[in-house]
Amino acid sequence: MGRSIRVAVIGAGMAGILAAIKLRERDIECVVFEKGDSVGGTWRENQYPGLACDVAAHWYTYSFARNPEWDSLMAEGKDIRAYFERVARDFGIMPLIRFNDEVVQLRFDEAGWDLLTASGHTDRFDVVIAATGVLHHPNIPHFDGIETFSGAAFHSVHWDHDVELDGKRIGVIGTGSTAAQLTSALVPRADQFQLFQRTAQWVMPRENISYTEEDKARFRENPAVLEELVRELRSKTLEGFANAVIDYDSPELAAIEQLCQENLETIRDPDLRQRLTPSYRAACKRLVISNTFYDAIQQPNAELVTSPIERVEPEGLRTADGQLHELDVLVLATGFKVDRFIRPTRVIGRNGVDLDAVWADGPKAYLSMSVPDFPNFFLLNGPNSPVGNFSLVEVAQHQIEYILQLVDGIRRGEYTEVSATEEAMQQFETERCEAAQKTVWVTGCDSWYLDKQGVPASWTFSYDRFEQETKAPRMQDYQVHAAHSSTASQGGVREQDQAGRRVK
């Protein structure tokens, strides 16, 4: 099919594995660059006790590689990592990956990208696909005196498995999903457990049902049964959650709020219940999904600390009320810098444009995948992609199929360079920001969903619109350079209709 091209994929997590598989299906040469020593991305980086996915496991799989072997509705992190490792092996992409070699610079020149890695390796590619994820650059707040702490202290993503936990005095800073999972996992092991809370979180209960060996056998023997389960899980989540977050007046959001409130009422102690009650609407921050957190925090050896942290001392944490909380282990469950994407890799586009400068006020991309003046450079799960309590695997599948339609145009020789126009991106951003005003994310909370301007850094439209937008590119929204031509064309080499089909 046309000329041969080479594609660099940055990252060997969920999205990078997907990209490599889909490129191989098209017989497109690709090299995957991975900064770590194995595949798995988020599920390799995060290995803390209690780690699990809050999305139904059977939906959190590639549509072409379902897994009938999940033990429960929401899988443990180690099992998810094993799934991605198995898919990478089964689909033969392991030989395509350069491990332990982080990409430090990409520079566009003459319809291609020059790539440089930390080891000094250089290469050139026609296309770059950034599949770098967002949950791997830890957010580590500064605490005065942290360097004086005599015990073990680390961020949850840098879990020290050599540290003894049983019978220890353990403190966890944070109250998001990671902190909730850690609380459930560590309270039974600790002599004393203290959770340091700055902001209370809404917790939605969800029974993590187990699958029997008979269930697994039925899924293996009849894939149609497994697909029906996936459709059911998907439908319930999208109808109940995706519709709720984009409309703060929706009955779906009211139902979520009721579930969260009823769950909160299971806290027996009125004072503890009051301190665990958020001051904002449910789903304004990412919901914590747990059937075990409230039970764990009510155990006799567990304590919720709401007085602000003043400083760290050798023996533990000193809070603003003057109390010293003595600890052996201190865990920072303080989340991630979710606006990094491909950075700190330096990306230089057309005419020397630096991606850091373009994203100085916050990362943006047309339909979350293409940035003006960065031709043949695409992002999976990029800026303002759909986020929340649903399958990012499915999101990435929609995006890679869209991106590969643009890549196919390069292979066919219709153009050598393609990137979104500034006008298309600005129109998309205007609509996205207008739609944001109806979402639950702007109803009065401070969350990692919000950018520097207080606008949700997320897909603020319906999930149906996301699926429609990613069916096929509208070439009028792209600037292309035709083969053997030095002039750019606004709107593509040929006019296309809304579905992306060529108009004769």
Side-chain angles (χ1 to χ4, degrees):
M1 178 183 176
R3 70 186 186 93
S4 297
I5 63 171
R6 302 182 74 230
V7 178
V9 177
I10 315 300
M14 172 275 291
I17 293 169
L18 169 65
I21 290 171
K22 291 300 178 179
L23 287 164
R24 274 179 59 98
E25 285 181 358
R26 280 170 157 79
D27 292 322
I28 297 175
E29 181 183 353
C30 77
V31 180
V32 182
F33 293 85
E34 170 53 52
K35 68 179 181 180
D37 59 3
S38 61
V39 302
T42 292
W43 304 103
R44 179 199 65 229
E45 297 289 304
N46 292 273
Q47 298 184 29
Y48 59 81
L51 173 65
C53 187
D54 58 11
V55 176
H58 288 99
W59 186 27
Y60 193 77
T61 56
Y62 305 118
S63 62
F64 53 84
R66 298 297 190 203
N67 178 27
E69 308 301 330
W70 296 120
D71 292 322
S72 56
L73 178 67
M74 291 176 286
E76 295 182 15
K78 62 180 177 59
D79 295 329
I80 298 171
R81 179 183 180 184
Y83 165 75
F84 288 122
E85 289 174 341
R86 184 170 64 254
V87 171
R89 290 193 303 270
D90 290 349
F91 282 81
I93 69 163
M94 296 295 282
L96 307 178
I97 306 173
R98 286 183 62 98
F99 289 108
N100 298 307
D101 206 6
E102 184 174 6
V103 176
V104 296
Q105 181 174 285
L106 293 164
R107 184 178 292 273
F108 183 79
D109 180 53
E110 295 181 357
W113 288 92
D114 294 316
L115 177 149
L116 172 66
T117 71
S119 70
H121 173 77
T122 60
D123 209 335
R124 183 167 174 83
F125 297 90
D126 301 279
V127 174
V128 172
I129 297 175
T132 48
V134 292
L135 301 181
H136 57 106
H137 296 297
N139 177 47
I140 304 178
H142 173 71
F143 295 103
D144 289 338
I146 186 75
E147 69 283 352
T148 70
F149 182 57
S150 60
F154 44 83
H155 190 277
S156 59
V157 78
H158 297 145
W159 197 268
D160 188 341
H161 294 278
D162 293 327
V163 172
E164 180 60 52
L165 301 173
D166 295 324
K168 301 299 182 181
R169 299 168 299 178
I170 303 173
V172 172
I173 300 175
T175 49
S177 293
T178 296
Q181 291 175 350
L182 283 168
T183 299
S184 299
L186 297 181
V187 165
R189 302 178 61 180
D191 178 52
Q192 298 175 29
F193 178 91
Q194 294 178 315
L195 181 66
F196 294 85
Q197 171 185 284
R198 184 176 63 177
T199 306
Q201 299 273 11
W202 285 109
V203 180
M204 190 167 80
R206 188 176 192 181
E207 183 184 0
N208 192 19
I209 62 173
S210 298
Y211 293 106
T212 66
E213 291 305 315
E214 290 76 14
D215 291 330
K216 297 177 189 178
R218 189 169 69 256
F219 296 150
R220 281 194 298 269
E221 294 162 7
N222 192 344
V225 172
L226 179 53
E227 280 303 316
E228 181 57 34
L229 174 62
V230 172
R231 282 194 293 271
E232 179 184 340
L233 295 169
R234 178 184 187 277
S235 176
K236 285 182 177 178
T237 305
L238 291 180
E239 291 175 7
F241 181 79
N243 293 336
V245 294
I246 64 169
D247 182 2
Y248 54 64
D249 287 328
S250 67
E252 291 88 352
L253 181 58
I256 288 173
E257 290 179 317
Q258 181 176 349
L259 279 172
C260 291
Q261 185 63 47
E262 290 173 354
N263 193 35
L264 183 64
E265 294 300 321
T266 65
I267 301 291
R268 296 180 295 275
D269 177 39
D271 175 66
L272 179 60
R273 187 190 317 132
Q274 188 276 326
R275 290 186 294 134
L276 284 169
T277 302
S279 59
Y280 53 87
R281 297 189 64 178
C284 186
K285 291 176 178 284
R286 183 186 173 103
L287 282 172
V288 173
I289 310 294
S290 177
N291 259 33
T292 57
F293 170 68
Y294 282 161
D295 179 66
I297 200 62
Q298 293 182 86
Q299 295 304 306
N301 66 323
E303 179 186 2
L304 179 73
V305 180
T306 54
S307 181
I309 297 169
E310 192 171 82
R311 64 182 180 273
V312 183
E313 298 181 4
E315 295 80 18
L317 296 185
R318 180 81 64 177
T319 47
D321 58 5
Q323 184 175 353
L324 175 64
H325 304 268
E326 296 184 350
L327 300 171
D328 301 307
V329 181
L330 176 61
V331 180
L332 307 182
T334 48
F336 299 88
K337 297 177 180 178
V338 296
D339 64 346
R340 298 292 84 197
F341 296 101
I342 191 172
R343 298 176 293 177
T345 301
R346 191 176 185 205
V347 184
I348 308 298
R350 184 185 288 124
N351 300 322
V353 176
D354 192 322
L355 189 63
D356 273 336
V358 173
W359 283 359
D361 294 328
K364 295 179 176 64
Y366 172 65
L367 295 182
S368 308
M369 291 178 279
S370 179
V371 182
D373 291 324
F374 291 82
N376 305 359
F377 173 76
F378 306 104
L379 299 115
L380 291 173
N381 294 122
N384 309 316
S385 283
V387 296
N389 303 79
F390 48 80
S391 176
L392 294 187
V393 181
E394 180 178 291
V395 169
Q397 282 198 232
H398 283 297
Q399 292 174 335
I400 193 63
E401 294 298 339
Y402 177 101
I403 289 167
L404 290 177
Q405 292 177 64
L406 294 171
V407 172
D408 283 342
I410 299 173
R411 295 178 75 198
R412 289 191 296 265
E414 296 174 2
Y415 42 80
T416 57
E417 302 175 16
V418 58
S419 58
T421 66
E422 184 68 31
E423 293 75 17
M425 194 185 77
Q426 291 303 329
Q427 181 178 347
F428 170 70
E429 276 297 296
T430 297
E431 291 182 25
R432 192 184 66 82
C433 292
E434 288 176 354
Q437 301 313 306
K438 188 64 175 174
T439 67
V440 69
W441 301 310
V442 299
T443 57
C445 70
D446 181 19
S447 80
W448 62 266
Y449 286 148
L450 302 180
D451 64 17
K452 294 178 181 178
Q453 288 73 43
V455 177
S458 178
W459 186 265
T460 58
F461 312 109
S462 70
Y463 196 79
D464 285 343
R465 175 166 175 176
F466 171 73
E467 291 183 299
Q468 289 299 317
E469 292 277 12
T470 53
K471 280 185 176 179
R474 291 189 297 266
M475 293 308 296
Q476 60 266 34
D477 290 343
Y478 285 87
Q479 180 183 35
V480 301
H481 280 254
H484 311 300
S485 171
S486 61
T487 59
S489 169
Q490 297 277 349
V493 177
R494 295 174 179 147
E495 283 296 314
Q496 296 193 347
D497 67 7
Q498 289 285 316
R501 293 182 294 271
R502 203 175 300 146
V503 177
K504 297 182 179 178

